[in-house]
Amino acid sequence: MCGIVGYIGNLDSKEILLKGLEKLEYRGYDSAGIAVMNDNGVQVFKEKGRIADLRNIVDEDVVANTGIGHTRWATHGVPSTVNAHPHQSNSGRFTLVHNGVIENYDILKREYLQGVALKSDTDTEIIVQLIELFVNEGSYTEEAFRKTLTLLKGSYAIALLDAENNETIFVAKNKSPLLVGLGETFNVVASDAMAMLQVTDQYVELMDKEIVIVTKDAVKIQTLNGEEISRDPYTAELDASDIEKGTYPHYMLKEIDEQPLVMRKIIQKYQDDNGELTIDQEIVEAMNDADRIYIIAAGTSYHAGLVGKQFIEKIAKIPVEVHISSEFGYNIPLLSEKPLFIFISQSGETADSRAVLVNVKEMGHKALTITNVPGSTLSREADYTLLLHAGPEIAVASTKAYTAQIAVLSILAEVTAKSRGLELNFNLVQELGIVANAMEVLCDAKEDFEDIARKFLSTTRNAFFIGRGIDYYVGLEGALKLKEISYIQAEGFAGGELKHGTIALIENGTPIIALATQESVNLSIRGNVKEVVARGANPCIISMKGLETEEDSFIIPEVNELLTPLISVIPLQLISYFAALHRECDVDKPRNLAKSVTVE
Ligand code: M6R
């Protein structure tokens, strides 16, 4: 979703800002812009489309040591150059970029800005015009900024330039992520450390309702009430090479291929010196204290949660409910007496999940976040965190984070079960090792999946994924993967559910991707395949070794039945990838989507 960068120092800021924005491209955007400031004032360059389009219009001759930049994912107003950030006040004195959504922007417009001609359809422009209004009424800039912030309802991360003070960037944050990066003779602002890793790995986290005055030599953090805050920086543990594609044509393919490595890393990170799986004792106690677990997540993370429920219920014997975060607020179930909330989020920034976390904390309940991003909002605000150790996931379509989430959930279930004295009939470390090897076999079979994608998906309008039990949950994830990057209308169904309505959509040649990795339901799912074949469907059966028949399109290696989602998803990821390629889609940056969904 939207991204912010800012630089103030001794160097020309243009290239630093543009490179920073390129690093944020993965978050999803539809327009971009930068504003640079020198003794001659502020110059704004903005363009609909890609950063490459923006580069074409930036005036190379302008040299400026201070600047801010933005990638916009449209919420208020269509994607266009006018609606792109930065936005300027009418006199041109103030220039601002903003992430988030100002919920009361219409009210503010009516109450304060009746006589002001607005240029864009955005909620953001209201902020910059309000600052100018208060300055015109006699406030100095910082005061006007504070006054404006106290009026805003909703989420924001803001970087502001004042043309009459080219030695400062004014920054503020509420609910949307924002960091200040520290350098020797410069400082930077970024919504994600990845953006500015090119110049520093030292960052200070900003908390909600803080305002920061950033100059090239100093960073002054305050609350909105003016209380000074001192906070130590942390080192962003990101390797610049982790965020490069290397020889891969797409991040998605690279990230699919990284899954065996991630599995092994997770085993290693969660093993103690004796080779036993271990997690923080406080988390184990919280699991044991709970009479019911509520998993809250969105998208792919929600699908991982569905698999996690199986682990926690079957292995640790604690009842689990899984909820979509954007729905939870309106449909809060009757909570048990001692609930534990588990938030699953690759980014740790998903606004829908964060809204539930805030609610849950207000109710006084404990929360654990399972995330890939240390220091992310969901991690900071929960009582406990378990990390995925998957390395940065750049492609919008989540792949390695999904399998990492499932692996970490299996470890959580196993360690909890052991602490409760429950006997396990398998050794999870060994089984995850077998999974990692099986993942390698599947990643090496790319040509087979390219053939399957060509045969089943190159011209179809729609596709259905079916499975029973845990395969059904993997089917949901397969359908999400396919639709988000190839734009084929894809849906996942429980095998037995098709005949209750959806079978009406089956026509000659409709692809049905069926998963058959569970012995207990193997015959039933094959029965469901027969039902759709009888109506003209084109079946692609992916089964597991030991359960295969001659009609199957691909047979995955055998792993522990409970852990099959870790490997059965890989064919679905690769089939989706090749289907998107065949259809010439932008695999890593699918239309309308953002990597981090930071608005509700
Ligand atoms: O960062 P999160 O895991 O909280 O993100 C949740 C979803 O937005 C995300 O999984 C989304 O569904 C992916 N694009 C799917 O590939």
Side-chain angles (χ1 to χ4, degrees), residues 343-354:
F343 291 84
I344 307 179
S345 173
Q346 187 285 130
S347 62
E349 299 295 348
T350 298
D352 291 326
S353 300
R354 200 236 172 181

Side-chain angles (χ1 to χ4, degrees), residues 135-168:
V135 166
N136 289 343
E137 286 175 359
S139 297
Y140 57 94
T141 301
E142 191 181 320
E143 194 182 5
F145 189 32
R146 283 177 192 282
K147 209 162 167 179
T148 303
L149 294 173
T150 53
L151 293 176
L152 303 181
K153 290 212 166 63
S155 53
Y156 57 76
I158 297 172
L160 166 76
L161 299 180
D162 174 358
E164 292 186 9
N165 170 5
N166 70 8
E167 293 185 349
T168 305

Side-chain angles (χ1 to χ4, degrees), residues 335 337 339 341 357-367 383:
L335 294 180
E337 275 183 23
F341 284 80
L357 175 58
V358 170
N359 209 342
V360 158
K361 293 309 298 166
E362 277 167 8
M363 289 191 271
H365 301 308
K366 294 275 186 213
D383 301 276

